[in-house]
Amino acid sequence: MSNALRSDDFDVAVVGGGLVGAAIAYGLGRVGSRVVVLDEGDMAIRASRANFALVWVQSKGLGMPEYAGWTVASAKKWPTLADELKREVKLDVHLQQPGGFHIALSEEELERRANTLKRFHNQAGVAQYPTEILRRDQVMKYLPEIGPDVVGGSYCPLDGHVNSLKLFRALHAAIAGQGATYLPGHAVSAIDRGGRAFRVRAGSRTVTAGKVVLAAGNANRHLAPMVGLKAPMKPERGQIVVTERVKPFLKYPVVTIRQTDEGTVMLGDSKEEGTDPAGLNLEISSVIASRAVRTFPLLGKLNVVRSWRGIRVMPADGFPIYEQSETHPGAFVVTCHSGVTLAAGHALTLAPMIHAGRLAEEVSAFSARRFDVQEVA
Ligand SMILES: Cc1cc2nc3c(=O)[nH]c(=O)nc-3n(C[C@H](O)[C@H](O)[C@H](O)COP(=O)(O)OP(=O)(O)OC[C@H]3O[C@@H](n4cnc5c(N)ncnc54)[C@H](O)[C@@H]3O)c2cc1C
């Protein structure tokens, strides 16, 4: 018996069920698409289970001003997404957006931070929002537990964080509630077009759909050329340390230190070249821990309960890639770092564009055409 589904079964096949694929699938279901999600599954290396869970705005978009605007828009839409998920699947993803800090442990660090913000805000056309450089005594009003090594920091009122594992679960529950088909254990190996529909192959199974969205993280690099797209990626490792639970002391997330809704404190997160997720580098853990203890000395009394290394999904220049294929209209690639921050933008803004079959001007800067190298004679 054939394993193929009926050719008109799905409007959209989403390849990849991490945070990006799940947010897109949720957003498509919201506007009425019949969706199938083909996913390699839980044993795959997923950034979505390894991240630091910030919904972060400050200085995102240095080098691409449009990314700053897209990030701000997503952060502002986040409360809508969190409320919807709470209503639909009764899961609180613990969104908090009180503003957040970069902490400086020396005058040089503070000056570097101030220069970065200056360069960021001086970019032509960049979204303007408040970021302030604060001296130690001002930081202390927000973060009374800082240690003597803290000289100051930058603060942006738009920054926040969530419980990203609960987000992951809530999105999948919401997709199921919408009636979408989720197929774990279905690593896609080939995509082609037969007539008006795409045939998406995973093992012996073939799914057909009117549109296909490649949201398979770093695997997009290999999948994109199957439908005339490209997604140059440079995956990056990141290491995180988690402490035991402690009574709430940190009201504002710091870019490398945040207290979760469950009371644990996450410390992170390194940026290392490479794609090998195996093995923890204890020297890196030690640098992470020592900076954290200098920032908040009370952390020195806590036990570490978990530590892991994850692989960031990282486009070659660090910015999102959103594109519809010219040769295979109806095929889209959606890939980015910061899939937690951008989840609201993906679900509430990008997915409706895909549903309508056209990416709007608002996201044109994220086309992969920016990687085309012009030959100069
Ligand atoms: C250490 C670390 C810290 C981070 N911190 C933050 C943060 O604070 N804030 C933030 O916004 N972001 C953060 N991120 C980034 C964020 O986690 C990612 O942007 C996001 O999880 C990417 O989701 P994704 O779905 O693209 O990729 P993934 O989670 O990697 O998922 C890819 C999915 O595709 C599937 N797949 C792969 N190949 C195939 C195939 N051939 N067929 C079908 N399915 C396939 C896999 O099974 C997987 O489910 C961090 C990441 C790391 C690693």
Side-chain angles (χ1 to χ4, degrees):
M1 197 173 88
S2 162
N3 220 355
L5 297 176
R6 275 198 351 257
S7 64
D8 61 347
D9 264 341
F10 300 107
D11 296 325
V12 190
V14 176
V15 182
L19 277 176
V20 171
I24 292 288
Y26 172 67
L28 286 167
R30 248 177 124 248
V31 289
S33 283
R34 292 166 304 152
V35 177
V36 59
V37 180
L38 297 106
D39 193 17
E40 193 184 343
D42 272 350
M43 296 317 288
I45 294 165
R46 281 168 147 168
S48 302
R49 292 197 312 184
N51 61 72
F52 201 66
L54 296 175
V55 175
W56 209 250
V57 172
Q58 62 173 295
S59 61
K60 290 261 184 86
L62 187 59
M64 188 195 257
E66 295 86 350
Y67 182 43
W70 180 238
T71 301
V72 170
S74 187
K76 290 189 170 165
K77 288 207 160 112
W78 241 106
T80 306
L81 177 64
D83 288 348
E84 266 190 33
L85 291 172
K86 198 188 276 183
R87 213 172 38 246
E88 287 175 23
V89 296
K90 312 278 180 278
L91 275 170
D92 186 350
V93 299
H94 292 277
L95 173 69
Q96 292 178 54
Q97 293 177 297
F101 284 85
H102 261 258
I103 290 294
L105 296 177
S106 66
E107 290 296 340
E108 292 75 25
E109 279 185 25
L110 193 59
E111 197 182 325
R112 254 201 323 273
R113 185 73 198 137
N115 285 337
T116 300
L117 292 182
K118 206 177 289 166
R119 279 193 294 133
F120 173 83
H121 287 291
N122 282 345
Q123 295 179 107
V126 78
Q128 293 298 341
Y129 52 81
T131 39
E132 289 177 85
I133 291 289
L134 304 179
R135 302 296 313 183
R136 172 187 170 73
D137 51 338
Q138 296 168 297
V139 174
M140 206 163 224
K141 290 184 187 143
Y142 297 83
L143 302 171
E145 307 287 354
I146 53 172
D149 287 356
V150 173
V151 301
S154 65
Y155 171 73
C156 170
L158 301 184
D159 292 329
H161 57 153
V162 292
N163 182 319
S164 66
L165 289 177
K166 287 181 183 163
L167 167 67
F168 200 12
R169 189 167 148 224
L171 284 172
H172 272 271
I175 293 166
Q178 289 169 337
T181 303
Y182 175 63
L183 300 175
H186 282 69
V188 169
S189 52
I191 308 172
D192 58 28
R193 202 163 43 190
R196 294 172 61 133
F198 287 96
R199 286 191 299 246
V200 184
R201 270 180 230 139
S204 59
R205 188 135 182 197
T206 299
V207 165
T208 57
K211 296 191 187 89
V212 63
V213 180
L214 305 180
N218 287 313
N220 282 322
R221 184 175 29 182
H222 308 297
L223 295 169
M226 295 176 192
V227 286
L229 287 163
K230 67 170 160 272
M233 310 295 289
K234 57 153 199 304
E236 185 186 90
R237 283 185 300 212
Q239 204 163 298
I240 285 175
V241 175
V242 186
T243 73
E244 64 185 314
R245 291 172 198 214
V246 62
K247 73 171 194 263
F249 75 98
L250 194 52
K251 282 197 188 142
Y252 299 85
V254 172
V255 72
T256 53
I257 306 170
R258 68 177 202 95
Q259 188 164 24
T260 69
D261 54 292
E262 287 151 350
T264 57
V265 185
M266 287 179 76
L267 317 176
D269 45 336
S270 62
K271 293 182 171 54
E272 310 152 57
E273 276 182 19
T275 54
D276 180 7
L280 284 169
N281 181 329
L282 290 180
E283 274 172 42
I284 290 173
S285 298
S286 147
V287 172
I288 289 174
S290 118
R291 266 196 82 88
V293 171
R294 287 176 66 200
T295 307
F296 297 109
L298 67 80
L299 293 174
K301 299 198 185 89
L302 301 181
N303 291 309
V304 168
V305 293
R306 267 189 299 286
S307 191
W308 65 76
R309 190 180 236 186
I311 305 295
R312 287 189 184 81
V313 172
M314 193 61 80
D317 61 359
F319 302 116
I321 302 174
Y322 307 140
E323 175 114 60
Q324 176 167 202
S325 172
E326 283 177 8
T327 57
H328 297 63
F332 297 81
V333 62
V334 176
T335 195
C336 64
H337 177 55
S338 296
V340 181
T341 306
L342 297 179
H346 289 162
L348 306 181
T349 308
L350 193 62
M353 294 180 196
I354 294 170
H355 178 77
R358 202 181 138 263
L359 297 185
E361 183 57 30
E362 184 184 354
V363 295
S364 62
F366 306 116
S367 157
R369 286 192 295 275
R370 67 183 187 268
F371 296 106
D372 294 342
V373 177
Q374 299 284 334
E375 292 283 338
V376 180

